[in-house]
Amino acid sequence: MKEVKPVYYNKFRCKADRCIHSCCIGWEIDIDEETLDRYNSVQGEFAERLHSGINRDESCFILDGNERCPFLNEKGLCDIIINLGESSLCRICAEHPRFRNFFSQRTEVGLGLCCEEAAKIILTDEEPFSFTQEPQEGDESEKEFFLKRKALFDLAEDRSCTLEQRMEKILLFAGAEIPVLTDGYIFKTLSSLEILDKKWKEVISMPKYGACTVENSEKVFERLLVYFIFRHTADSLYDGMFAERTGFCVMCVKLLQRLCAGCADISEITETARMFSSEIEYSYDNTQTLIGECSCK
């Protein structure tokens, strides 16, 4: 099976102890069966601590009172890596923040926006979006999807018109409709979703006025649009919801444009996008709710 990635993918390196928003804090960390079996065989000085930090009934690590992984040390480094090597990480830790789109003859691997380093790479990459190898093989439905998705990418990156015009063209191409995003609708909808971080509630509760005025912000939102298209339209091959998923991608960008109206610079936009991803993309129910707000004409 071929593994295909965006050209920016190989720029990613985990910041580890330099990360402000550690993925080892605040997330339930499941342990896959293969890794759990490997942990059960660990012996030596580290073994007792390793075994005491695992909930075997739930197959996950036991977070402390501050929702920290028990193996995240005071320096922000992983004691499992230090004691057993990076190859001993469970699957979810080794893979994060990556995601995968599966096709019959290829697997696409991307970086998730919820990671601060991945978000920085995604939103500051200067090159037009492309893969290490463009899709050519697949069954007929996949080939049709690749062509439609390529059309979405082209429309998103067409700088001969404004981003707002591009998003309207994308909705028209996909036959999609999204709700009118008034301030009241945005707050009512986002606040009705599962809230994972109380800081997010503050972000969506704060009044926003006008458009984001940060220099070059339109390029940043363009990259966000391409990212959402890459990540979320592939599943339309399974659920047949190409229009609704495309509408969701546009809706996400429009929501972020409004939420970023008060941002002072690109770093604030990146942080708001990271929080949005953590709250929406990493909650299946939240994602499905917003997809359900979009419709097919």
Side-chain angles (χ1 to χ4, degrees), residues 124-173:
T124 59
D125 187 56
E126 291 291 340
E127 299 300 320
F129 182 86
S130 62
F131 293 106
T132 52
Q133 180 180 339
E134 290 300 324
Q136 295 176 339
E137 301 170 335
D139 60 32
E140 289 306 311
S141 62
E142 289 175 348
K143 289 178 181 177
E144 180 184 356
F145 167 74
F146 292 145
L147 288 173
K148 291 196 296 184
R149 187 179 64 178
K150 178 63 165 59
L152 295 182
F153 288 151
D154 289 344
L155 287 169
E157 296 185 315
D158 178 12
R159 294 181 182 175
S160 67
C161 54
T162 67
L163 183 60
E164 190 66 28
Q165 291 170 325
R166 288 178 249 169
M167 289 192 285
E168 290 305 314
K169 289 181 179 180
I170 284 172
L171 292 175
L172 183 62
F173 174 84

Side-chain angles (χ1 to χ4, degrees), residues 53-271:
I54 296 174
N55 180 335
R56 281 176 168 71
D57 291 334
E58 301 292 335
S59 297
C60 63
F61 293 120
I62 302 171
L63 304 185
D64 68 15
N66 295 315
E67 296 192 312
R68 291 171 63 94
C69 173
F71 302 103
L72 180 66
N73 66 32
E74 68 280 359
K75 295 180 180 179
L77 298 173
C78 175
D79 282 337
I80 289 180
I81 293 178
I82 291 170
N83 287 274
L84 303 177
E86 192 168 348
S87 62
S88 293
L89 288 175
C90 61
R91 188 175 302 149
I92 194 169
C93 291
E95 288 293 307
H96 186 81
R98 299 161 185 84
F99 66 87
R100 283 174 165 76
N101 296 326
F102 296 98
F103 302 96
S104 62
Q105 298 183 50
R106 67 191 258 135
T107 300
E108 294 177 350
V109 187
L111 299 173
L113 194 63
C114 79
C115 165
E116 64 186 59
E117 180 64 14
K120 180 181 177 181
I121 291 169
I122 293 165
L123 300 190
T124 59
D125 187 56
E126 291 291 340
E127 299 300 320
F129 182 86
S130 62
F131 293 106
T132 52
Q133 180 180 339
E134 290 300 324
Q136 295 176 339
E137 301 170 335
D139 60 32
E140 289 306 311
S141 62
E142 289 175 348
K143 289 178 181 177
E144 180 184 356
F145 167 74
F146 292 145
L147 288 173
K148 291 196 296 184
R149 187 179 64 178
K150 178 63 165 59
L152 295 182
F153 288 151
D154 289 344
L155 287 169
E157 296 185 315
D158 178 12
R159 294 181 182 175
S160 67
C161 54
T162 67
L163 183 60
E164 190 66 28
Q165 291 170 325
R166 288 178 249 169
M167 289 192 285
E168 290 305 314
K169 289 181 179 180
I170 284 172
L171 292 175
L172 183 62
F173 174 84
E177 288 185 322
I178 65 172
V180 178
L181 302 180
T182 63
D183 289 339
Y185 174 86
I186 292 173
F187 175 72
K188 180 181 178 181
T189 301
L190 294 184
S191 62
S192 71
L193 302 178
E194 177 187 17
I195 302 290
L196 305 178
D197 184 340
K198 63 182 180 181
K199 291 181 181 178
W200 179 243
K201 194 164 187 176
E202 296 174 8
V203 171
I204 62 177
S205 300
M206 196 176 300
K208 307 293 192 300
Y209 303 101
C212 179
T213 57
V214 175
E215 186 178 359
N216 294 323
S217 63
E218 184 158 293
K219 291 182 180 179
V220 175
F221 291 118
E222 172 192 304
R223 295 179 190 114
L224 278 168
L225 179 57
V226 171
Y227 161 82
F228 286 122
I229 291 169
F230 170 41
R231 178 156 194 172
H232 293 286
T233 57
D235 279 346
S236 66
L237 280 166
Y238 307 106
D239 60 26
M241 299 176 66
F242 181 78
E244 293 87 346
R245 287 184 172 278
T246 302
F248 168 75
C249 298
V250 171
M251 184 180 184
C252 286
V253 175
K254 286 180 173 286
L255 287 170
L256 279 165
Q257 285 177 314
R258 296 291 288 277
L259 293 172
C260 292
C263 289
D265 53 36
I266 297 297
S267 65
E268 285 191 23
I269 297 176
T270 304
E271 171 58 11

Side-chain angles (χ1 to χ4, degrees), residues 15-61:
K15 292 171 67 176
D17 57 320
R18 295 179 292 110
C19 185
I20 297 173
H21 305 283
S22 173
C23 55
C24 305
I25 303 173
W27 299 84
E28 182 176 287
I29 306 171
D30 296 325
I31 309 171
D32 56 282
E33 186 175 344
E34 181 181 347
T35 304
L36 193 58
D37 288 342
R38 192 162 65 246
Y39 288 167
N40 288 336
S41 67
V42 171
Q43 298 180 350
E45 186 177 341
F46 185 65
E48 183 177 349
R49 182 183 166 202
L50 176 64
H51 300 323
S52 65
I54 296 174
N55 180 335
R56 281 176 168 71
D57 291 334
E58 301 292 335
S59 297
C60 63
F61 293 120

Side-chain angles (χ1 to χ4, degrees), residues 276-289:
F276 181 92
S277 176
S278 296
E279 295 289 329
I280 306 301
E281 292 187 294
Y282 285 81
S283 166
Y284 175 81
D285 290 342
N286 287 352
T287 297
Q288 291 303 116
T289 297

